[in-house]
Amino acid sequence: MVMKHYPPEFRAEAVALYRSRPGATIKSVAQDLGVNHETLRNWIRLDDGRRTGTPIAAAPATAPPSGTTEDENAALRKRIRELEEERDILRKAAKYFAGGDALVNRFGFVSENRRRYGVKRLCQVIGIARSSYYHWKATEPDRAARVADDARLAARVRVIHRESAGTYGVPRITAELHDTGHVVNHKRVARVMRSIGLAGVRLRRRHRTTLPDPSAVKAPDLLGRDFTAEAPNTRYVGDITYLPIADGTFLYLATVMDLCSRRLVGWSVADHMRVDLVLDALHAAERTRGSLAGAVFHSDHGAQYGAKSFAEACRAAGVTQSMDAVGSSADNAAAESLNASFKRETLQGAQNWCSAGDARLAVFGWAHRYNTRRRHSHLGQTSPIDYENSLLPTPATLTPAA
């Protein structure tokens, strides 16, 4: 069952997902998300209007309707000139917004075109505050000095990196700089190294997400590796997986999957593995289903799932906890398989996502497509939502009232 009332966060993510896919059509993205394509088209139009700061309006006819006064004709002509000017401004601005920091690019556009159109008009059309532009302009000398300092630091970092045969990373390069009299923060070294594409050699290691807590709440294994369910909303599995980012950091994804329909009913993404991560995923599942009362939730023995606050949230939702054996991934194989499918189908052989924003959009787009369109072998090559709909009673199977 697809949502009919969409919160603002969902609409914003849907528009962002469409914009992140240059070759995709509105219809294909709408199908992935399980929404009407005209609904998505309206969201994109509204977002375009907010970006430009002007409502989207059709151009007036060349011939005014009969009975209009000269003042009205003049107003129409003025509005046409304004729209034509806005079109010209936005066409010129398009190349500035292609990459990098979008806000800085807008400031640069205003600076280069202020003599022709005026700062006030430009800021109004491209949607920035004049005070922000003037502040950016006033701090331009300081920024130029920082850029020059970074260029000098980058040259020194390149020398150290080359002398180490490309093995030194941020900590060792920072220490080398300190020893040669350069007082610099390691975070700045990391930023400069990223900007010039340098990194040290490091061993790849498996990133653990299951960290058992000896004092955590224990629960029996109620599934016994039987990852099936007779009806939706009766048995769930959950897990945490890491999302590697190009800059060496990680995001973490917590999921809640229905074992009957394999539907991903709840998920949460964060830059930490605190208990809030799994709590948010559980609450998302509760919102999707309306109620989880009477269901079983199965997980590993990670500290997050063994936390008292998570156990209390399960009790409050009417959920019975189940946990696998410590150190046995086979006891939670369904959740592990879901995570593996997500990474395989989104990364497609890549080692990481370019940015945290890209990773979040990948989760958002894949999760909705998985539920609404992706064919699942366990379900006879139907999607989870189609499978759930097939389980609903039809009018012919309903028992007539006495």
Short mmCIF file of all heavy atoms in Angstrom, two decimals, residues 283-326:
data_model
loop_
_atom_site.label_atom_id
_atom_site.label_comp_id
_atom_site.label_asym_id
_atom_site.label_seq_id
_atom_site.Cartn_x
_atom_site.Cartn_y
_atom_site.Cartn_z
N HIS A 283 10.65 3.00 15.14
CA HIS A 283 9.53 3.95 15.11
C HIS A 283 9.03 4.17 13.69
O HIS A 283 7.83 4.35 13.46
CB HIS A 283 9.97 5.27 15.74
CG HIS A 283 10.27 5.18 17.21
ND1 HIS A 283 9.59 4.32 18.05
CD2 HIS A 283 11.19 5.83 17.99
CE1 HIS A 283 10.06 4.45 19.28
NE2 HIS A 283 11.03 5.34 19.27
N ALA A 284 9.96 4.17 12.70
CA ALA A 284 9.54 4.31 11.31
C ALA A 284 8.67 3.14 10.89
O ALA A 284 7.66 3.31 10.19
CB ALA A 284 10.77 4.42 10.40
N ALA A 285 9.04 1.92 11.33
CA ALA A 285 8.23 0.74 11.02
C ALA A 285 6.85 0.85 11.68
O ALA A 285 5.83 0.47 11.08
CB ALA A 285 8.95 -0.52 11.49
N GLU A 286 6.83 1.37 12.89
CA GLU A 286 5.56 1.52 13.61
C GLU A 286 4.64 2.50 12.88
O GLU A 286 3.43 2.28 12.78
CB GLU A 286 5.83 1.98 15.04
CG GLU A 286 4.66 1.79 15.98
CD GLU A 286 5.04 2.04 17.43
OE1 GLU A 286 6.15 2.59 17.66
OE2 GLU A 286 4.25 1.72 18.32
N ARG A 287 5.23 3.58 12.33
CA ARG A 287 4.43 4.54 11.58
C ARG A 287 3.90 3.92 10.29
O ARG A 287 2.77 4.17 9.88
CB ARG A 287 5.25 5.79 11.27
CG ARG A 287 5.54 6.66 12.48
CD ARG A 287 6.09 8.02 12.05
NE ARG A 287 7.35 7.90 11.34
CZ ARG A 287 8.54 7.88 11.94
NH1 ARG A 287 8.62 7.98 13.27
NH2 ARG A 287 9.65 7.80 11.23
N THR A 288 4.73 3.11 9.63
CA THR A 288 4.32 2.47 8.38
C THR A 288 3.14 1.52 8.62
O THR A 288 2.17 1.53 7.85
CB THR A 288 5.49 1.69 7.76
OG1 THR A 288 6.55 2.61 7.46
CG2 THR A 288 5.06 0.98 6.49
N ARG A 289 3.23 0.71 9.67
CA ARG A 289 2.20 -0.30 9.93
C ARG A 289 1.02 0.22 10.73
O ARG A 289 -0.05 -0.38 10.73
CB ARG A 289 2.83 -1.49 10.67
CG ARG A 289 3.79 -2.32 9.85
CD ARG A 289 3.17 -2.80 8.57
NE ARG A 289 3.92 -3.87 7.93
CZ ARG A 289 3.70 -4.30 6.72
NH1 ARG A 289 2.74 -3.73 5.99
NH2 ARG A 289 4.41 -5.29 6.19
N GLY A 290 1.21 1.33 11.41
CA GLY A 290 0.15 1.81 12.29
C GLY A 290 0.27 1.23 13.68
O GLY A 290 0.08 1.91 14.68
N SER A 291 0.59 -0.06 13.75
CA SER A 291 0.80 -0.75 15.03
C SER A 291 1.64 -1.99 14.77
O SER A 291 1.50 -2.66 13.74
CB SER A 291 -0.52 -1.14 15.67
OG SER A 291 -0.29 -1.96 16.82
N LEU A 292 2.55 -2.30 15.71
CA LEU A 292 3.36 -3.52 15.64
C LEU A 292 2.97 -4.49 16.74
O LEU A 292 3.66 -5.48 16.97
CB LEU A 292 4.85 -3.17 15.77
CG LEU A 292 5.46 -2.25 14.71
CD1 LEU A 292 6.93 -1.98 15.04
CD2 LEU A 292 5.34 -2.86 13.33
N ALA A 293 1.85 -4.25 17.40
CA ALA A 293 1.44 -5.06 18.55
C ALA A 293 1.32 -6.53 18.15
O ALA A 293 0.71 -6.87 17.14
CB ALA A 293 0.11 -4.55 19.09
N GLY A 294 1.95 -7.39 18.96
CA GLY A 294 1.88 -8.83 18.72
C GLY A 294 2.97 -9.36 17.82
O GLY A 294 3.08 -10.58 17.64
N ALA A 295 3.80 -8.50 17.23
CA ALA A 295 4.84 -8.93 16.30
C ALA A 295 6.10 -9.34 17.06
O ALA A 295 6.33 -8.95 18.20
CB ALA A 295 5.17 -7.83 15.30
N VAL A 296 6.94 -10.15 16.38
CA VAL A 296 8.26 -10.54 16.89
C VAL A 296 9.31 -9.77 16.11
O VAL A 296 9.24 -9.69 14.87
CB VAL A 296 8.49 -12.06 16.74
CG1 VAL A 296 9.93 -12.43 17.07
CG2 VAL A 296 7.52 -12.83 17.62
N PHE A 297 10.29 -9.20 16.82
CA PHE A 297 11.39 -8.50 16.16
C PHE A 297 12.68 -9.25 16.48
O PHE A 297 13.07 -9.39 17.63
CB PHE A 297 11.50 -7.06 16.66
CG PHE A 297 12.63 -6.30 16.01
CD1 PHE A 297 12.47 -5.67 14.79
CD2 PHE A 297 13.87 -6.24 16.63
CE1 PHE A 297 13.51 -4.98 14.20
CE2 PHE A 297 14.92 -5.55 16.04
CZ PHE A 297 14.74 -4.93 14.83
N HIS A 298 13.36 -9.74 15.42
CA HIS A 298 14.57 -10.54 15.57
C HIS A 298 15.80 -9.74 15.15
O HIS A 298 15.77 -9.06 14.11
CB HIS A 298 14.46 -11.81 14.71
CG HIS A 298 15.63 -12.74 14.86
ND1 HIS A 298 15.77 -13.60 15.93
CD2 HIS A 298 16.72 -12.94 14.06
CE1 HIS A 298 16.90 -14.29 15.78
NE2 HIS A 298 17.48 -13.91 14.66
N SER A 299 16.88 -9.83 15.91
CA SER A 299 18.11 -9.09 15.60
C SER A 299 19.31 -9.87 16.10
O SER A 299 19.17 -10.96 16.67
CB SER A 299 18.06 -7.71 16.28
OG SER A 299 18.15 -7.85 17.69
N ASP A 300 20.49 -9.29 15.90
CA ASP A 300 21.69 -9.88 16.48
C ASP A 300 21.85 -9.37 17.90
O ASP A 300 20.98 -8.69 18.45
CB ASP A 300 22.93 -9.56 15.62
CG ASP A 300 23.12 -8.06 15.42
OD1 ASP A 300 22.77 -7.28 16.34
OD2 ASP A 300 23.63 -7.66 14.36
N HIS A 301 23.01 -9.67 18.50
CA HIS A 301 23.26 -9.28 19.89
C HIS A 301 24.02 -7.96 19.98
O HIS A 301 24.73 -7.73 20.95
CB HIS A 301 24.04 -10.38 20.62
CG HIS A 301 23.17 -11.46 21.18
ND1 HIS A 301 22.67 -11.44 22.46
CD2 HIS A 301 22.68 -12.59 20.61
CE1 HIS A 301 21.94 -12.52 22.68
NE2 HIS A 301 21.92 -13.23 21.55
N GLY A 302 23.89 -7.10 18.98
CA GLY A 302 24.55 -5.81 19.04
C GLY A 302 24.11 -5.00 20.24
O GLY A 302 22.98 -5.14 20.74
N ALA A 303 25.04 -4.16 20.70
CA ALA A 303 24.75 -3.36 21.90
C ALA A 303 23.51 -2.49 21.72
O ALA A 303 22.79 -2.20 22.69
CB ALA A 303 25.96 -2.49 22.25
N GLN A 304 23.25 -2.03 20.48
CA GLN A 304 22.09 -1.17 20.24
C GLN A 304 20.78 -1.92 20.50
O GLN A 304 19.86 -1.39 21.12
CB GLN A 304 22.11 -0.65 18.79
CG GLN A 304 23.34 0.14 18.42
CD GLN A 304 24.49 -0.75 17.99
OE1 GLN A 304 24.39 -1.97 17.98
NE2 GLN A 304 25.62 -0.12 17.64
N TYR A 305 20.70 -3.18 20.01
CA TYR A 305 19.47 -3.95 20.20
C TYR A 305 19.33 -4.49 21.62
O TYR A 305 18.24 -4.85 22.04
CB TYR A 305 19.44 -5.10 19.19
CG TYR A 305 19.34 -4.65 17.76
CD1 TYR A 305 20.40 -4.83 16.88
CD2 TYR A 305 18.20 -4.01 17.28
CE1 TYR A 305 20.33 -4.40 15.57
CE2 TYR A 305 18.12 -3.57 15.97
CZ TYR A 305 19.18 -3.77 15.12
OH TYR A 305 19.09 -3.33 13.82
N GLY A 306 20.47 -4.56 22.33
CA GLY A 306 20.42 -5.02 23.70
C GLY A 306 20.25 -3.91 24.71
O GLY A 306 20.17 -4.17 25.92
N ALA A 307 20.16 -2.66 24.24
CA ALA A 307 20.03 -1.53 25.15
C ALA A 307 18.67 -1.55 25.84
O ALA A 307 17.65 -1.97 25.26
CB ALA A 307 20.20 -0.22 24.39
N LYS A 308 18.64 -1.07 27.07
CA LYS A 308 17.38 -1.04 27.83
C LYS A 308 16.35 -0.16 27.16
O LYS A 308 15.16 -0.47 27.14
CB LYS A 308 17.65 -0.56 29.25
CG LYS A 308 18.45 -1.55 30.10
CD LYS A 308 18.64 -1.03 31.52
CE LYS A 308 19.42 -2.02 32.36
NZ LYS A 308 19.64 -1.52 33.75
N SER A 309 16.80 0.97 26.58
CA SER A 309 15.84 1.88 25.93
C SER A 309 15.19 1.22 24.73
O SER A 309 14.01 1.46 24.44
CB SER A 309 16.55 3.17 25.52
OG SER A 309 17.65 2.90 24.66
N PHE A 310 15.93 0.34 24.01
CA PHE A 310 15.33 -0.35 22.87
C PHE A 310 14.34 -1.41 23.35
O PHE A 310 13.26 -1.57 22.77
CB PHE A 310 16.40 -1.00 22.00
CG PHE A 310 15.85 -1.59 20.73
CD1 PHE A 310 15.51 -0.79 19.65
CD2 PHE A 310 15.65 -2.95 20.62
CE1 PHE A 310 14.99 -1.33 18.49
CE2 PHE A 310 15.13 -3.51 19.47
CZ PHE A 310 14.80 -2.70 18.40
N ALA A 311 14.71 -2.12 24.43
CA ALA A 311 13.78 -3.11 25.00
C ALA A 311 12.49 -2.45 25.47
O ALA A 311 11.39 -2.97 25.27
CB ALA A 311 14.46 -3.85 26.15
N GLU A 312 12.62 -1.27 26.09
CA GLU A 312 11.43 -0.54 26.55
C GLU A 312 10.57 -0.08 25.37
O GLU A 312 9.34 -0.12 25.43
CB GLU A 312 11.87 0.66 27.39
CG GLU A 312 12.48 0.27 28.72
CD GLU A 312 13.13 1.46 29.43
OE1 GLU A 312 13.13 2.57 28.83
OE2 GLU A 312 13.64 1.28 30.55
N ALA A 313 11.22 0.34 24.27
CA ALA A 313 10.47 0.76 23.09
C ALA A 313 9.72 -0.41 22.48
O ALA A 313 8.57 -0.27 22.02
CB ALA A 313 11.42 1.37 22.05
N CYS A 314 10.33 -1.60 22.49
CA CYS A 314 9.65 -2.80 21.99
C CYS A 314 8.44 -3.14 22.86
O CYS A 314 7.36 -3.45 22.34
CB CYS A 314 10.62 -3.97 21.94
SG CYS A 314 11.84 -3.88 20.61
N ARG A 315 8.62 -3.07 24.17
CA ARG A 315 7.49 -3.36 25.06
C ARG A 315 6.36 -2.35 24.85
O ARG A 315 5.18 -2.73 24.81
CB ARG A 315 7.96 -3.34 26.51
CG ARG A 315 8.71 -4.58 26.93
CD ARG A 315 8.83 -4.67 28.43
NE ARG A 315 9.67 -3.60 28.97
CZ ARG A 315 10.99 -3.70 29.12
NH1 ARG A 315 11.61 -4.80 28.77
NH2 ARG A 315 11.69 -2.70 29.62
N ALA A 316 6.72 -1.09 24.70
CA ALA A 316 5.70 -0.06 24.49
C ALA A 316 4.94 -0.28 23.19
O ALA A 316 3.75 0.03 23.09
CB ALA A 316 6.34 1.33 24.50
N ALA A 317 5.62 -0.83 22.18
CA ALA A 317 4.98 -1.08 20.90
C ALA A 317 4.28 -2.43 20.84
O ALA A 317 3.67 -2.77 19.83
CB ALA A 317 6.02 -0.99 19.79
N GLY A 318 4.39 -3.22 21.92
CA GLY A 318 3.78 -4.55 21.93
C GLY A 318 4.57 -5.57 21.15
O GLY A 318 4.01 -6.57 20.66
N VAL A 319 5.88 -5.35 21.01
CA VAL A 319 6.76 -6.21 20.21
C VAL A 319 7.56 -7.14 21.14
O VAL A 319 8.06 -6.71 22.18
CB VAL A 319 7.73 -5.37 19.36
CG1 VAL A 319 8.78 -6.23 18.69
CG2 VAL A 319 6.95 -4.58 18.32
N THR A 320 7.68 -8.41 20.74
CA THR A 320 8.49 -9.38 21.47
C THR A 320 9.86 -9.47 20.82
O THR A 320 9.96 -9.72 19.62
CB THR A 320 7.83 -10.76 21.47
OG1 THR A 320 6.54 -10.66 22.05
CG2 THR A 320 8.68 -11.76 22.26
N GLN A 321 10.92 -9.29 21.61
CA GLN A 321 12.27 -9.34 21.07
C GLN A 321 12.76 -10.78 20.91
O GLN A 321 12.42 -11.66 21.72
CB GLN A 321 13.25 -8.59 21.96
CG GLN A 321 13.34 -7.11 21.68
CD GLN A 321 14.50 -6.46 22.42
OE1 GLN A 321 14.37 -6.09 23.58
NE2 GLN A 321 15.64 -6.33 21.75
N SER A 322 13.57 -10.99 19.86
CA SER A 322 14.23 -12.27 19.61
C SER A 322 15.65 -11.96 19.17
O SER A 322 15.88 -10.99 18.44
CB SER A 322 13.49 -13.04 18.51
OG SER A 322 14.24 -14.16 18.07
N MET A 323 16.62 -12.77 19.63
CA MET A 323 18.01 -12.53 19.27
C MET A 323 18.68 -13.82 18.85
O MET A 323 18.38 -14.89 19.36
CB MET A 323 18.79 -11.92 20.45
CG MET A 323 18.43 -10.49 20.77
SD MET A 323 19.47 -9.82 22.09
CE MET A 323 18.89 -8.11 22.13
N ASP A 324 19.64 -13.68 17.88
CA ASP A 324 20.36 -14.84 17.40
C ASP A 324 21.49 -15.19 18.35
O ASP A 324 21.72 -14.53 19.36
CB ASP A 324 20.88 -14.60 15.99
CG ASP A 324 21.85 -13.41 15.92
OD1 ASP A 324 22.37 -13.01 16.98
OD2 ASP A 324 22.07 -12.89 14.82
N ALA A 325 22.21 -16.27 18.00
CA ALA A 325 23.37 -16.65 18.79
C ALA A 325 24.50 -15.67 18.56
O ALA A 325 24.64 -15.11 17.47
CB ALA A 325 23.82 -18.06 18.40
N VAL A 326 25.32 -15.41 19.58
CA VAL A 326 26.41 -14.46 19.46
C VAL A 326 27.42 -14.95 18.43
O VAL A 326 27.86 -16.09 18.45
CB VAL A 326 27.12 -14.27 20.82
CG1 VAL A 326 28.31 -13.36 20.68
CG2 VAL A 326 26.14 -13.72 21.84
#
